[in-house]
Amino acid sequence: MPNAILDPTGATTATATAKPQAPRAPRRADLTGARIGLLVNTKQNAAPFLDEIGRLLIAQHGATKVVNRTKVNFAAPAPDELVKEMTAECDVIITGIGDCGSCSASAVADGIAFESAGLPAAAICSDAFRVTADAMAELRGAPGYRYATTPHPVAVLTPEQVTERAAQVLGDVIALVTEQE
Amino acid sequence: MTEPLDPDAAQAAIEYCYAQGWSDGLPLVPASQPLVDRFLAATGKDPEEVIGELEQVGRNCTVYLAAVNAAMAGCLPEYFPVVLAAFDALMRERAARGGGWQSTSGPAPMIVVNGPVRHELGFNAQGGAFGPGFRPNATIPRAIGLIVRNAFGIRPHVLEQATQGLPGRWSICLAENEEESPWPPFAEDGGQPAGASAVSATLLRTCEFVDNRHTPDPEHVLNDIADTISRTGSLIFRDTSAGVVFCPEHAQMLATAGFTKQDVQAWLIEHCGRTGADLRRAGKNGLRGIARFADADTSGDGTFTRILPTPRHVPIVVAGARNAAISMVVRIFGEWSGIATEVTK
């Protein structure tokens, strides 16, 4: 018998410890009275984009207030303390904008973390990063995790265009945090 | 008489590795247990020791997995301590522990080897320092690339999102030309004692040559280098970092004129930068936090803005042949940790 060819991935151990299906938070019927957590990842235009979504949810959909938080490191998933803190202060989380290789994956990882903490979450990514966002969802035990997308690019949009984009994606964001499976 | 080698079996094994998705695009050496055992015998480390972790993707690399990937990359077993030192040095970089491998910028590790290990293992420190042509220089950075691909699971088009990447990714491993450098070895800048075999590493966004071989004036050369460092295309934050890999001729010219390495760094910190007007024309004159943006305000047009904050942001290495005065600006992704790792057997 010849020697076996060795596997360089460590996949045998990874499979043995495969992650269980990540939990999904219960959905609200609507956003009346909801406190909206906006988790901004500091990518260009992320702050005004999420601010506008927060404004629309208060003005048109009965949300009571927004809680703004900013990630210190856009490339990494939000630290546990930040997830805990926002979970205590908010009813729904909106996070983004996933507009780069690491931050799109991280935005989705954050959405999944908030779901596990019991809050419905909507991550928003640029549509150029679907594959990496989906790959991260799978790694986090949430294959097929749904998030909202907006067309690439986001960073070059004018303030007026950001407002338009926020309005365009609003319906998807609301559906993500309210629709029962 | 020795047994004839079997090319058909070798080809089948290589194709098997491709089919598993393990390859960076080039043929791999199929790794067997006896080969990997020789790698593990070259280090005193426990095969199960975790030497790097990427928390966001839930993956880590053990000494054993590093050995398998180094074998597949074409390393010899005796290179393995250098692979481990290079990986250690690289994992000290904030970008390498964070999202760097996933980045749209597609950065390349730059590995710098110092000390007697260069001769013991046959590194090239002279002509063609950036490669190709020499087994340790070529296979050690390739091993790092395979570790990122296979052990960390960061693959192109999936978790790796490089927009264009850059030429030389997984192939830049310099051995410093200490014999023709007028300055102390780079590993000393990283805290290692004189004469140590040690490895330094950082991540690059690109390499840009500066060809200046006709002037005897060291300030001409420094101004030429400063112009390359200061180009607006590379500026995205308030601060930047760019090293210089000096050819021996430029380094010796500077040293003869009285420049220490620290003097060169100080000169570049002072002279690298752009006027507000230059930055405004490229839409990079404003600062929001540390990120540049296009500010319509012209009041800063006449101000010269420096871009290199500290000497650690201008690492200096000497490599290459003494046959022409051509040096390389190496554009650093993030910033260098400033720490070199000793090669231990």
Side-chain angles (χ1 to χ4, degrees), chain B residues 90-133:
Chain B
L90 201 52
M91 290 307 283
R92 292 176 188 275
E93 299 290 285
R94 182 171 170 270
R97 292 191 309 273
W101 305 122
Q102 296 161 259
S103 173
T104 46
S105 35
M110 179 177 79
I111 298 163
V112 182
V113 181
N114 280 105
V117 74
R118 294 170 305 136
H119 300 303
E120 291 159 15
L121 298 180
F123 280 92
N124 172 43
Q126 299 181 339
F130 280 83

Side-chain angles (χ1 to χ4, degrees), chain A residues 20-80:
Chain A
Q21 178 73 32
R24 186 172 184 268
R27 265 37 205 169
R28 304 174 59 95
D30 58 44
L31 294 176
T32 307
R35 299 165 299 169
I36 310 294
L38 301 178
L39 181 54
V40 173
N41 69 353
T42 72
K43 294 306 281 190
Q44 184 87 16
N45 276 333
F49 199 118
L50 294 193
D51 283 347
E52 177 62 8
I53 286 180
R55 193 189 69 79
L56 292 171
L57 291 178
I58 291 174
Q60 302 173 0
H61 297 275
T64 50
K65 67 167 190 170
V66 296
V67 175
N68 286 291
R69 288 288 182 277
T70 301
K71 288 176 79 167
V72 174
N73 179 3
F74 64 73
D80 291 346

Side-chain angles (χ1 to χ4, degrees), chain A residues 3-11 13-14 19 42-45 72-77 99-103 105-106 109 128-133 135-136 139-140, chain B residues 13 16-17 22 30-34 36 55-59 64-65 68-69 72 94 98-100 102-104 150-151 155 157-161 237 288 291-293:
Chain A
N3 286 310
I5 297 176
L6 300 183
D7 181 336
T9 67
T13 45
K19 292 214 162 40
T42 72
K43 294 306 281 190
Q44 184 87 16
N45 276 333
V72 174
N73 179 3
F74 64 73
D99 194 25
C100 71
S102 53
C103 67
S106 289
F129 293 98
R130 281 178 195 274
V131 176
T132 205
M136 179 54 94
L139 283 174
R140 293 292 164 128
Chain B
Y16 173 85
C17 294
W22 298 336
S32 63
Q33 195 63 52
V36 169
E55 204 184 335
Q56 69 270 36
V57 295
R59 297 284 286 264
Y64 168 79
L65 279 183
V68 177
N69 283 286
M72 291 188 352
R94 182 171 170 270
Q102 296 161 259
S103 173
T104 46
N150 293 317
R155 297 189 177 197
H157 295 189
V158 189
L159 288 169
E160 193 256 74
Q161 289 286 310
F237 298 115
R288 203 175 276 136
R292 294 190 176 278
F293 77 100

Side-chain angles (χ1 to χ4, degrees), chain A residues 87-109:
Chain A
T87 303
E89 294 174 19
C90 309
D91 302 305
V92 161
I93 298 292
I94 298 164
T95 180
I97 306 292
D99 194 25
C100 71
S102 53
C103 67
S104 304
S106 289
V108 163

Side-chain angles (χ1 to χ4, degrees), chain A residues 79-158:
Chain A
D80 291 346
E81 310 81 68
L82 181 60
V83 173
K84 233 180 248 169
E85 187 191 312
M86 291 189 79
T87 303
E89 294 174 19
C90 309
D91 302 305
V92 161
I93 298 292
I94 298 164
T95 180
I97 306 292
D99 194 25
C100 71
S102 53
C103 67
S104 304
S106 289
V108 163
D110 291 344
I112 294 166
F114 280 108
E115 296 284 350
S116 300
L119 292 195
I124 305 172
C125 292
S126 137
D127 65 1
F129 293 98
R130 281 178 195 274
V131 176
T132 205
D134 291 345
M136 179 54 94
E138 201 149 317
L139 283 174
R140 293 292 164 128
Y145 179 80
R146 287 162 57 215
Y147 50 90
T149 60
T150 189
H152 196 80
V154 173
V156 298
L157 301 179
T158 63

